[in-house]
Structure formats: C-alpha cells, structure tokens
Amino acid sequence: MFTIDQIRSYTDRFGVPSYVDDDGDLHLNFAADNDFPHNVDVVVLIDNDRLSYIAFPSDYHPDNLEYKVNRANMRRNFPTAVMSKGELRMEYSFYISEDVSEEYIYDTCVRRILGSIWNAFVEFDRDDIEEE
C-alpha cells in the first residue's frame, strides 16, 4: 500500500529536513518563516491502513488555548487542532484500505495535508478569519 520510505521520498521533494526514528516513524521539521515564526515538527506514522500526522510547534504557547482550539476546529475541516498536556498540536489521519494511485498519496495524503497543517498554525491566532 504505502510505506514510510515512500512518504519520505515525497517529502524530500519539498526539501524538508527529515529522519526516521527507531520506531520507524518519519519526523519532519518545517522552519519558521514570516507567516509563522516557530518551527513546526511533524511526526508521520503508518499503522496498517492508517497514515497519521501529528504536528507541534516549537516554543509556541498561545494564550486562551482551549478557546482557540475550539475556534480553529470550527473554522477548518482538517487538520484537527488538539490540546495535549497544555500544548497545541494538529492531527490528521487517513484510512486507506484499498489500492490507490501514487498520485493520490502524493497530492492528497502528503502535499495537501502538510500544507494544511502549516496553514492551520499560521491562522491559529488570527481573529480576522471569517468563521464558516
């Protein structure tokens, strides 16, 4: 179906630093920029038919976190904002139980999700986004 090596080959196209840990999980590091001034670490896990992303920003501790997590989830379909141990993270998972094309995995399951995760952090503190 899909492997960590396959997912890593796709993320290598973005030039994002990465490594695979002893558990076989892929770790990515997105560098801070003008849109979001904090590095974002993303852990990519594969468990049977599930491809999951867990992302958390470095040194970012927004005030009113519980309220902002709820507001973020009202505004976005994905990823899901989560408060874990008083810290912010973004999560998203795919369940893929049948064969899909490599193009689908790259475009939908990797490129689109990683972009959405970054945008979720960029927009997290913004008050000027209309709620849908």
Side-chain angles (χ1 to χ4, degrees), residues 21-86:
D21 68 15
D22 293 338
D23 293 328
D25 302 327
L26 177 62
H27 293 254
L28 308 169
N29 182 269
F30 289 85
D33 67 11
N34 290 335
D35 292 328
F36 189 68
H38 305 275
N39 292 338
V40 173
D41 296 310
V42 180
V43 180
V44 183
L45 306 101
I46 294 178
D47 182 21
N48 296 318
D49 295 338
R50 186 179 68 191
L51 171 62
S52 298
Y53 295 86
I54 301 170
F56 46 94
S58 302
D59 300 323
Y60 179 56
H61 309 285
D63 58 344
N64 301 318
L65 183 57
E66 187 173 352
Y67 166 77
K68 289 179 180 178
V69 163
N70 289 332
R71 182 182 66 181
N73 289 331
M74 288 174 49
R75 291 178 176 168
R76 302 182 73 76
N77 290 327
F78 59 90
T80 301
V82 175
M83 188 172 73
S84 177
K85 298 179 184 175

Side-chain angles (χ1 to χ4, degrees), residues 12 16-17 23-24 36 39 48 50 57 62 64 74 76 86 90-91 95 97-98 116 126:
D12 285 348
V16 176
D23 293 328
F36 189 68
N39 292 338
N48 296 318
R50 186 179 68 191
N64 301 318
M74 288 174 49
R76 302 182 73 76
M90 298 291 172
E91 297 182 357
Y95 289 95
S97 60
E98 57 188 54
S116 294
R126 290 182 53 191

Side-chain angles (χ1 to χ4, degrees), residues 5-19:
D5 289 335
Q6 178 185 20
I7 302 302
R8 188 175 192 187
S9 74
Y10 296 148
T11 61
D12 285 348
R13 295 180 189 178
F14 310 136
V16 176
S18 67
Y19 69 92

